[in-house]
Amino acid sequence: MWTTFLVVLKMNLRSRSALFWLIVFPIVLATMFNGVFGQITEGYDIKPMSMAVVKDANWKRTAGAGAFVDALAGKEPSSDATTGAHEGTATGLDQQLIDITTVTSTAEARRRIADDAVQGYLNADGSGRLRMTLSSDTAGTATSSDGNVTVTIAALHGAIELYNRTDAITRETLEDHPTAAASARFWRSVGDAAGLTREVTLTNVKPDPIARYYYALLGMSCLMAMSYAVAAVTFAQANLSALGIRRTVAPLGRVRQLLAGFLASWLCAGTSLLIALAYIRYGCGVLLGGREPAAVLAVGVASFMSCALGTMIGAIPRLPHGVKIGLTSAISCVLSLFSGLYGSFAMELSDWITRHAPVLALVNPAQQVTNLFYDILYYDGYRPFAATCVNLLVMSAVFLAVGAILLRRQRYEHL
C-alpha cells in the first residue's frame, strides 16, 4: 500500500497540466485580481480634505465651534474651546476628516478656493449653525468617480449636521430650563449624544468587497484538484490503462490500492490549495481575520471533498482518462460561474441564488468552498464555518459512496 501511495504521488507530481492548473493558474489569476482590483478598496477610504475655517465675528460667538473643528482635524480641543452650549460636543474623532487653514472672512476663503489652495470652507451663520461650502471642482468630483472624496464629504456632512442638531436641542433646552446649565449630568448627556462619527464593524474584520473573488478562485482551484483523484482511479481500472491491468492482477487488494491513491491525491490537492492560499494571503494581502489555522482546516476539508468527487468521476465506466479530465474542467468552470468568479454579474447571480434558491447554493461544491473562507473572515463565531464543513463532508460521503458502488459493479471478461 505504501508503494502504491508513493507511485501515485510521483505520478501526480509529474503531471505538468495538473501542476499548471492547480498552482500556476491560481497564482497568475490572483495576481491579475490584485492588479485590477487592488486599488478599489483604497478608493473608499476616508482621506482628509483641505478646508478653510472662517474665524470671523459669527465664529467667535459660536461656543464650541473651535473645539468641534479641531476634533474634525484629529487634534486636541483648541484654546478657544469654551464651556457653554457645546461643552459636551468637543469630543475627538478617531478618523481625521479635514486639514485646517484659518482665514478671517468668507471673501478670503473664496479666494483660497479660486486659487485651488483649499477644497471648501466652514463658517458659522448668525444663529450659530455651521455651514460647509465646497468648490465646484470638489463637488463635481464627488458626484463622478472619486470614492475617497464622496466618502469623506458624506462623513463630514453627517458630523456637521449632528453638531447643528445638538446645538439646536441644547439651546432650546437651556431656554426652557435655564437651571440645566449648572448640571454636570446634562452636559455629559449632551456629550454622549454628540459622539460625532465613529467607525464600527458588524463583522469579524472590516469587510473587503474584493475578497470574494479570491475565495471564488479557491473554489475553482479546489474543483480542478479533482484531476488528481480521477487519474488515481482511472489508472487502477484494467479496461482503461495498462497500469490498471497490472494493478488488477497484483496481490494488493483493490480497496487498499484505491485508498492509497486517494490519500496521495488528497495530499497533492491539499498542498496545491495551501500554496494558492498562502499566495493570496501574503502575496495579495487578502486577510483571513487572524484565523489562518481555520483556513488550513478549510483547505483540508475542501481538498477532501474534491478528491471524493474526483473518485466518483474517475469510477465512471468506459470513459477514457482524457474525457474524464475534460469533464472535471467543465464542471469546475460551470460551477464557478454560480459562485461568483467571473465578475460582478456572476457575484450578483450567486447572491440571487443564495437568497431565492438556497438549495442550489447548498449543493454547489464551488459555492460551499467559497463560503468556507467567507465564514472564516466575516462571522464572529465558528458556527457557520462548522456548518459549511459538515455540508462538505456530507457531500464527500455521498461522492465516495457513489464511487464505491460504480467500482464494485465493474467486472472484466478478460485482461
Side-chain angles (χ1 to χ4, degrees), residues 378-391:
Y378 289 120
Y379 287 100
D380 293 336
Y382 287 97
R383 184 174 181 179
F385 172 72
T388 306
C389 287
V390 170
N391 186 35

Side-chain angles (χ1 to χ4, degrees), residues 48-290:
M49 295 176 57
S50 58
M51 300 289 290
V53 176
V54 182
K55 293 190 176 182
D56 54 7
N58 290 335
W59 185 271
K60 294 177 181 178
R61 288 194 301 268
T62 305
F68 173 75
V69 170
D70 285 341
L72 294 180
K75 302 178 181 178
E76 293 296 327
S78 61
S79 58
D80 66 342
T82 60
T83 58
H86 294 282
E87 180 179 350
T89 65
T91 56
L93 284 171
D94 294 334
Q95 175 68 53
Q96 180 184 359
L97 296 181
I98 61 174
D99 291 320
I100 297 176
T101 299
T102 302
V103 297
T104 57
S105 65
T106 56
E108 183 180 355
R110 293 191 183 99
R111 285 196 298 270
R112 295 291 184 97
I113 290 177
D115 296 337
D116 291 330
V118 295
Q119 296 173 276
Y121 65 86
L122 297 173
N123 70 309
D125 59 16
S127 61
R129 291 176 57 86
L130 298 187
R131 298 188 181 278
M132 178 176 63
T133 303
L134 300 177
S135 67
S136 57
D137 291 340
T138 302
T141 303
T143 57
S144 57
S145 59
D146 195 331
N148 295 122
V149 174
T150 302
V151 173
T152 303
I153 290 176
L156 188 57
H157 180 268
I160 293 174
E161 286 298 313
L162 178 59
Y163 175 92
N164 288 331
R165 289 197 301 270
T166 305
D167 171 80
I169 294 173
T170 303
R171 292 177 184 273
E172 182 179 352
T173 302
L174 291 177
E175 289 177 1
D176 296 338
H177 306 281
T179 57
S183 172
R185 182 178 179 183
F186 168 74
W187 293 116
R188 284 196 301 269
S189 66
V190 172
D192 293 339
L196 299 182
T197 303
R198 61 175 60 90
E199 184 178 11
V200 298
T201 177
L202 301 178
T203 56
N204 179 47
V205 296
K206 181 179 179 180
D208 184 358
I210 309 304
R212 290 184 63 189
Y213 291 98
Y214 293 96
Y215 300 157
L217 173 60
L218 289 173
M220 180 179 182
S221 300
C222 176
L223 292 188
M224 292 295 293
M226 290 188 294
S227 59
Y228 285 135
V230 169
V233 175
T234 301
F235 292 138
Q237 293 174 283
N239 62 330
L240 296 180
S241 68
L243 179 60
I245 296 176
R246 293 195 296 271
R247 287 184 175 178
T248 301
V249 298
L252 185 66
R254 174 179 290 189
V255 174
R256 299 180 68 186
Q257 290 185 30
L258 293 175
L259 179 60
F262 182 88
L263 293 177
S265 301
W266 187 15
L267 176 61
C268 291
T271 303
S272 301
L273 286 177
L274 280 177
I275 293 173
L277 176 65
Y279 180 77
I280 289 173
R281 170 62 184 89
Y282 299 104
C284 301
V286 178
L287 299 180
L288 292 170

Side-chain angles (χ1 to χ4, degrees), residues 242-379:
L243 179 60
I245 296 176
R246 293 195 296 271
R247 287 184 175 178
T248 301
V249 298
L252 185 66
R254 174 179 290 189
V255 174
R256 299 180 68 186
Q257 290 185 30
L258 293 175
L259 179 60
F262 182 88
L263 293 177
S265 301
W266 187 15
L267 176 61
C268 291
T271 303
S272 301
L273 286 177
L274 280 177
I275 293 173
L277 176 65
Y279 180 77
I280 289 173
R281 170 62 184 89
Y282 299 104
C284 301
V286 178
L287 299 180
L288 292 170
R291 296 173 173 176
E292 282 74 10
V296 174
L297 176 61
V299 166
V301 174
S303 57
F304 185 86
M305 181 278 302
S306 174
C307 291
L309 181 56
T311 298
M312 185 184 71
I313 295 176
I316 299 175
R318 298 186 180 86
L319 287 182
H321 178 252
V323 174
K324 293 178 180 178
I325 294 297
L327 185 60
T328 61
S329 299
I331 291 174
S332 303
C333 294
V334 172
L335 294 183
S336 296
L337 169 65
F338 302 106
S339 66
L341 179 63
Y342 305 127
S344 58
F345 168 77
M347 282 294 179
E348 293 174 1
L349 178 61
S350 174
D351 293 339
W352 186 92
I353 292 175
T354 302
R355 288 192 300 268
H356 298 92
V359 174
L360 295 180
L362 193 65
V363 299
N364 183 352
Q367 181 65 62
Q368 293 305 305
V369 174
T370 302
N371 288 347
L372 270 181
F373 299 97
Y374 188 90
D375 296 342
I376 291 173
L377 181 64
Y378 289 120
Y379 287 100

Side-chain angles (χ1 to χ4, degrees), residues 2-57:
W2 174 248
T3 301
T4 303
F5 174 85
L6 292 178
V7 169
V8 176
L9 184 62
K10 292 179 181 179
M11 178 183 66
N12 290 338
L13 294 178
R14 291 171 181 170
S15 176
R16 296 181 179 179
S17 61
L19 292 177
F20 172 79
W21 287 109
L22 300 177
I23 298 179
V24 178
F25 178 74
I27 291 177
V28 171
L29 198 56
T31 303
M32 292 177 59
F33 285 169
N34 191 50
V36 174
F37 302 126
Q39 303 301 322
I40 291 181
T41 303
E42 296 180 3
Y44 291 93
D45 291 337
I46 294 178
K47 294 185 178 180
M49 295 176 57
S50 58
M51 300 289 290
V53 176
V54 182
K55 293 190 176 182
D56 54 7

